[in-house]
């Protein structure tokens, strides 16, 4: 009972601190705020109860590793160096604290509508994956890890055969609304997208008001009167 009270108190305290912690330009304002570390208890909340630690079912022992004979015959497309997520790096950023970033310094996210148990499942498809590109890798390759436990890293096969990296069995994504390295404008989008910690948990150190995702990039043949991935907001639920 005492432990529950402590967790609730920490969550309430965090809630009162959250309004001033939004990233620069988030929600129409650059608010001055102190830097928030990764210590608050809310930082270790998992999206789905029972998400496991360590090696997880449904994830490969190492990204891209072959576990069965003939597994390389799935017809997975060969990805270019620009498409591959070659690095997973634990990095602390202002106001948010713990993040995991790719080789270009872009923050990675997890999606509450995905599944981590009993096995990893990505439910971000179609326009969703245009706004939230999957962190993918070629078969037989492994990302460079900095501050991330290799036992927590795995892959899940997407519908097109590509391998998406997972962390504690949660599929990883970037967000096209983040225009520069280190930004985390995807935090709490649709109340379903959250910055992921090196342990695979949701980082709730800073939780801005729920916002809508940016619009997906326009097709070449479509009207180009607006900017692709503009920050004007959209009616998309992802």
């Amino acid at each position: 009972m005492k432990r529950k009270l402590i967790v609730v108190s920490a969550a309430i305290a965090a809630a009162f601190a959250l309004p001033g912690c939004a990233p620069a330009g988030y929600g129409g304002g650059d608010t001055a705020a102190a830097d928030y570390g990764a210590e608050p208890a809310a930082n270790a909340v998992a999206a789905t109860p029972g998400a496991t630690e360590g090696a997880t079912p449904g994830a490969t022992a190492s990204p891209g590793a072959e576990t069965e004979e003939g597994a390389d015959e799935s017809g997975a497309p060969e990805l270019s160096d620009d498409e591959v997520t070659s690095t997973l790096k634990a990095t602390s950023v202002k106001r948010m604290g713990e993040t995991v970033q790719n080789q270009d310094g872009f923050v990675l996210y997890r999606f509450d509508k995905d599944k981590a148990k009993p096995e990893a499942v990505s439910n971000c498809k179609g326009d969703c994956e245009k706004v939230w590109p999957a962190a993918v890798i070629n078969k037989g390759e492994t990302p460079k890890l900095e501050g991330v436990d290799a036992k927590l890293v795995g892959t899940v096969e997407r519908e097109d055969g590509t391998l998406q990296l997972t962390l504690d069995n949660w599929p990883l994504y970037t967000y096209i609304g983040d225009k520069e390295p280190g930004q985390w404008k995807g935090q709490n989008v649709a109340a379903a997208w959250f910055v992921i910690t090196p342990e695979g948990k949701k980082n709730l150190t800073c939780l801005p008001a729920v916002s809508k995702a940016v619009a997906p990039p326009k097709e070449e043949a479509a009207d180009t009167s607006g900017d692709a991935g503009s920050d004007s907001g959209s009616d998309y639920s992802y």
Side-chain angles (χ1 to χ4, degrees):
M1 185 66 177
K2 182 178 180 181
R3 183 179 180 182
K4 290 183 178 179
L5 290 174
I6 292 175
V7 173
V8 172
S9 297
I12 293 175
F16 280 105
L18 296 177
C21 72
Y26 191 105
D30 182 359
T31 56
D35 296 348
Y36 285 80
E39 292 78 15
N43 188 50
V45 177
T48 301
T52 57
E53 295 184 359
T56 52
T60 56
S62 60
E66 304 298 340
T67 57
E68 298 179 5
E69 291 186 8
D72 57 349
E73 297 177 358
S74 62
E78 186 71 17
L79 303 171
S80 68
D81 291 342
D82 290 338
E83 296 174 297
V84 166
T85 297
S86 60
T87 300
L88 296 179
K89 181 179 181 180
T91 305
S92 181
V93 299
K94 291 182 177 180
R95 305 174 187 172
M96 176 51 72
E98 288 184 316
T99 69
V100 177
Q101 300 180 6
N102 65 14
Q103 67 274 11
D104 298 316
F106 283 91
V107 169
L108 295 169
Y109 298 86
R110 53 179 275 181
F111 185 32
D112 274 0
K113 294 182 181 180
D114 285 346
K115 295 181 180 179
K117 188 178 179 180
E119 60 183 18
V121 176
S122 171
N123 288 315
C124 181
K125 306 169 185 177
D127 280 345
C128 177
E129 62 184 318
K130 296 177 183 178
V131 175
W132 302 93
V136 292
I137 196 165
N138 284 312
K139 283 184 177 292
E141 297 180 353
T142 57
K144 177 182 179 182
L145 304 179
E146 299 181 29
V148 177
D149 188 345
K151 292 180 180 179
L152 295 177
V153 180
T155 59
V156 61
E157 187 171 328
R158 297 184 61 79
E159 289 184 344
D160 62 359
T162 56
L163 291 178
Q164 182 174 3
L165 289 169
T166 62
L167 186 56
D168 196 25
N169 240 21
W170 288 99
L172 299 175
Y173 308 83
T174 53
Y175 178 49
I176 65 170
D178 290 337
K179 303 301 183 184
E180 298 178 5
Q183 290 185 336
W184 39 277
K185 293 183 178 182
Q187 177 74 341
N188 206 28
V189 165
W193 291 91
F194 301 93
V195 170
I196 197 167
T197 73
E199 296 75 34
K201 309 303 180 185
K202 290 193 295 187
N203 186 337
L204 302 180
T205 300
C206 177
L207 197 65
V210 176
S211 61
K212 295 180 180 179
V214 299
K218 293 181 179 296
E219 299 295 338
E220 291 183 4
D223 176 22
T224 56
S225 58
D227 293 332
S230 68
D231 290 325
S232 59
S234 71
D235 293 327
Y236 301 102
S237 60
Y238 45 77

